Amino acid sequence: SIGLMKVSMIFLFATCFIAYSCNNGMKTDYYFSDNFSGEVAVIYDCGSANDPIYKEGRLQLYIPESGILYTKAQLPHGKSLSRFFIRRKGEAFDTIDRYLDQRDTNIKKKHIFFERVMSDSCGDSKKTYNGIFFNVGFHLDLDSVRSVFERHVFDELCEHGCK
């Protein structure tokens, strides 16, 4: 009947929409040196930064020792499809996993902790900066360390802009 066909079409459309939405997000690979540990800030939409590099449809981000990276790439939206890698020896990389239990802990392998998106604007200029912040290490740092790092990054942006 027409009613059943209408319901079937709506169900099919809803299923396709949900499936597309769940897979919609920026695919990003983050790379770190073998001894990297600490806070990370990736600031997006920086016109003066280097052009983004893509490999097999994934944004490639090489995090400097400072932990702060500026990119022209757009801030990702949707589900996080990020992967994290740390240099082993030579050109080889090991995967770093997210630590989903966001509490202070002590573990034997480096993990990604407290991944978050943050925005801040600079005074009256109405210029807003957007970034993804997280911690790489063996344990989750105290809130005060994160707060100081975040404030430092945004203060530098407001004073000097994207580098």
Side-chain angles (χ1 to χ4, degrees):
S1 84
I2 293 178
L4 182 59
M5 191 163 65
K6 198 181 233 184
V7 169
S8 296
M9 292 300 289
I10 291 171
F11 177 75
L12 179 63
F13 175 75
T15 302
C16 291
F17 178 77
I18 290 169
Y20 173 77
S21 297
C22 290
N23 288 320
N24 191 16
M26 181 173 287
K27 298 173 182 175
T28 306
D29 293 338
Y30 296 89
Y31 295 90
F32 305 93
S33 66
D34 58 350
N35 57 353
F36 186 88
S37 191
E39 292 292 329
V40 174
V42 178
I43 307 302
Y44 289 85
D45 307 307
C46 288
S48 60
N50 292 332
D51 289 327
I53 298 169
Y54 292 90
K55 182 177 178 184
E56 298 175 10
R58 299 186 67 85
L59 177 62
Q60 306 293 293
L61 297 176
Y62 294 86
I63 306 301
E65 290 301 314
S66 69
I68 304 170
L69 179 71
Y70 304 94
T71 179
K72 283 185 182 177
Q74 299 292 310
L75 180 69
H77 298 282
K79 181 180 177 182
S80 176
L81 302 172
S82 301
R83 300 184 303 195
F84 304 89
F85 301 96
I86 195 158
R87 184 175 299 281
R88 211 174 39 207
K89 291 185 179 178
E91 296 300 312
F93 286 88
D94 287 331
T95 301
I96 305 175
D97 297 320
R98 287 182 174 96
Y99 190 78
L100 299 179
D101 190 9
Q102 299 296 344
R103 61 186 163 92
D104 289 337
T105 187
N106 215 350
I107 51 182
K108 295 180 182 182
K109 183 182 174 200
K110 286 184 181 177
H111 279 74
I112 302 300
F113 291 96
F114 200 56
E115 190 176 2
R116 61 222 182 263
V117 175
M118 298 186 70
S119 296
D120 199 2
S121 53
C122 301
D124 296 334
S125 71
K126 297 188 175 148
K127 173 63 180 162
T128 299
Y129 292 100
N130 302 297
I132 293 180
F133 290 72
F134 54 89
N135 181 280
V136 176
F138 296 103
H139 65 280
L140 183 60
D141 283 337
L142 300 173
D143 288 338
S144 60
V145 172
R146 286 195 304 272
S147 297
V148 169
F149 178 76
E150 293 158 0
R151 186 72 267 142
H152 166 73
V153 169
F154 285 122
D155 286 348
E156 286 290 312
L157 282 166
C158 289
E159 189 172 331
H160 304 290
C162 294
K163 297 176 185 174

Coordinates of all heavy atoms in Angstrom, one line a residue, residues 3 5 8 10-12 31-32 49 51 54 60 71 76 92 99 109 113 119 122 129 136 140 145 153 163:
G3 N 0.7 3.9 2.0 CA 1.2 4.2 3.3 C 2.4 3.5 3.8 O 3.3 4.0 4.4
M5 N 4.6 2.1 1.8 CA 5.7 2.5 1.0 C 6.3 3.8 1.5 O 7.5 4.1 1.5 CB 5.3 2.6 -0.5 CG 6.5 2.8 -1.4 SD 6.1 2.5 -3.2 CE 4.9 3.8 -3.5
S8 N 8.3 3.2 4.6 CA 9.5 2.5 4.2 C 10.5 3.5 3.6 O 11.7 3.5 3.9 CB 9.3 1.4 3.2 OG 8.5 0.4 3.7
I10 N 10.7 6.8 4.2 CA 11.1 7.7 5.3 C 12.1 7.0 6.2 O 13.2 7.5 6.5 CB 9.9 8.1 6.2 CG1 9.0 9.1 5.4 CG2 10.3 8.8 7.5 CD1 7.7 9.5 6.0
F11 N 11.9 5.7 6.5 CA 12.8 4.9 7.3 C 14.2 4.8 6.5 O 15.2 4.9 7.1 CB 12.3 3.5 7.6 CG 13.2 2.6 8.3 CD1 13.4 2.8 9.7 CD2 13.9 1.6 7.6 CE1 14.3 2.0 10.3 CE2 14.8 0.8 8.3 CZ 15.0 1.0 9.7
L12 N 14.1 4.5 5.2 CA 15.3 4.4 4.4 C 16.1 5.7 4.4 O 17.3 5.7 4.6 CB 15.0 4.0 3.0 CG 16.2 3.8 2.0 CD1 17.1 2.7 2.5 CD2 15.7 3.5 0.6
Y31 N 51.1 13.5 14.4 CA 52.4 12.9 14.6 C 53.2 13.6 15.6 O 53.3 14.8 15.6 CB 53.1 12.8 13.3 CG 52.5 12.0 12.2 CD1 51.5 12.6 11.4 CD2 52.7 10.6 12.1 CE1 50.9 11.8 10.4 CE2 52.1 9.9 11.1 CZ 51.2 10.5 10.3 OH 50.6 9.7 9.3
F32 N 53.9 12.8 16.5 CA 54.7 13.4 17.6 C 56.1 12.8 17.5 O 56.3 11.6 17.2 CB 54.1 13.1 19.0 CG 52.7 13.5 19.1 CD1 51.6 12.7 18.8 CD2 52.4 14.8 19.5 CE1 50.3 13.1 18.9 CE2 51.1 15.3 19.6 CZ 50.1 14.4 19.3
A49 N 49.4 30.5 8.2 CA 50.1 29.2 8.5 C 50.3 28.5 7.2 O 49.9 28.9 6.1 CB 49.2 28.3 9.4
D51 N 50.1 25.6 4.2 CA 48.9 24.9 3.7 C 48.8 23.5 4.3 O 49.9 22.9 4.5 CB 49.1 24.8 2.1 CG 48.9 26.2 1.4 OD1 48.1 27.0 1.9 OD2 49.6 26.4 0.4
Y54 N 47.5 16.7 2.9 CA 46.5 15.5 3.0 C 47.2 14.3 2.4 O 47.9 14.4 1.4 CB 45.2 15.9 2.2 CG 44.4 16.9 2.9 CD1 44.6 18.3 2.6 CD2 43.5 16.6 3.9 CE1 43.9 19.3 3.3 CE2 42.8 17.6 4.5 CZ 43.0 18.9 4.2 OH 42.3 19.9 4.9
Q60 N 47.3 15.6 7.6 CA 48.5 15.2 8.3 C 49.1 16.4 9.1 O 49.4 17.4 8.6 CB 49.6 14.8 7.3 CG 49.1 13.7 6.3 CD 48.8 12.4 7.0 OE1 49.7 11.7 7.5 NE2 47.5 12.0 7.1
T71 N 47.4 25.9 11.6 CA 47.1 25.3 10.3 C 46.1 26.1 9.6 O 45.2 26.7 10.3 CB 46.7 23.9 10.4 OG1 46.4 23.4 9.1 CG2 45.5 23.7 11.3
P76 N 37.7 20.8 12.3 CA 36.8 19.7 12.0 C 35.5 19.7 12.7 O 35.4 20.2 13.8 CB 37.7 18.5 12.4 CG 38.8 19.0 13.2 CD 38.9 20.5 13.0
A92 N 59.6 4.9 11.6 CA 58.5 4.1 12.0 C 57.7 4.8 13.1 O 58.3 5.6 13.9 CB 58.9 2.7 12.6
Y99 N 42.8 7.8 26.1 CA 42.5 7.3 27.4 C 41.1 7.8 27.7 O 41.0 9.0 28.0 CB 43.5 7.7 28.5 CG 43.3 7.0 29.8 CD1 43.7 5.7 29.9 CD2 42.7 7.6 30.8 CE1 43.5 5.0 31.1 CE2 42.5 7.0 32.0 CZ 42.9 5.7 32.2 OH 42.8 5.0 33.4
K109 N 52.0 3.4 29.3 CA 52.1 3.7 27.8 C 51.5 5.1 27.6 O 50.5 5.4 28.3 CB 51.3 2.7 27.0 CG 51.5 2.9 25.5 CD 50.6 1.9 24.8 CE 50.7 2.2 23.3 NZ 49.6 1.6 22.5
F113 N 44.9 12.3 26.4 CA 44.0 12.6 27.5 C 43.2 13.9 27.2 O 43.8 14.9 26.6 CB 44.8 12.9 28.8 CG 45.4 11.6 29.3 CD1 46.7 11.4 29.0 CD2 44.7 10.8 30.1 CE1 47.4 10.3 29.6 CE2 45.3 9.7 30.7 CZ 46.6 9.4 30.4
S119 N 37.4 27.8 22.0 CA 37.4 29.0 21.2 C 37.6 30.2 22.1 O 37.2 30.1 23.3 CB 36.1 29.2 20.5 OG 35.9 28.2 19.5
C122 N 39.4 37.9 20.9 CA 40.4 38.9 21.3 C 39.7 40.2 21.5 O 39.5 41.0 20.5 CB 41.5 39.0 20.3 SG 42.4 37.4 20.1
Y129 N 39.5 32.7 17.7 CA 40.4 31.6 17.3 C 39.8 30.3 17.9 O 39.2 30.2 18.9 CB 41.8 31.8 18.0 CG 42.5 33.0 17.3 CD1 42.5 34.2 18.0 CD2 43.1 32.9 16.1 CE1 43.2 35.3 17.4 CE2 43.8 33.9 15.6 CZ 43.8 35.1 16.2 OH 44.5 36.2 15.6
V136 N 49.3 14.7 25.8 CA 50.0 13.4 25.5 C 50.9 13.1 26.6 O 51.7 13.9 27.1 CB 50.8 13.6 24.2 CG1 51.6 12.3 23.9 CG2 50.0 14.0 23.0
L140 N 47.1 12.1 33.3 CA 46.4 13.4 33.0 C 47.0 14.5 33.9 O 47.0 14.3 35.2 CB 44.9 13.2 33.3 CG 44.0 14.3 33.0 CD1 44.1 14.7 31.5 CD2 42.6 13.9 33.3
V145 N 47.5 23.1 35.2 CA 48.5 23.1 34.1 C 47.8 23.3 32.8 O 48.3 24.1 32.0 CB 49.3 21.8 34.1 CG1 50.2 21.6 32.9 CG2 50.1 21.6 35.4
V153 N 48.2 30.1 25.1 CA 48.0 30.0 23.7 C 47.1 31.1 23.2 O 47.4 31.8 22.2 CB 47.4 28.6 23.3 CG1 47.0 28.5 21.9 CG2 48.5 27.5 23.6
K163 N 51.0 32.3 13.7 CA 52.4 32.4 13.3 C 52.6 31.5 12.2 O 52.0 30.5 12.0 CB 53.3 32.0 14.5 CG 53.1 32.9 15.7 CD 53.9 32.4 16.8 CE 53.7 33.3 18.0 NZ 54.3 32.8 19.2

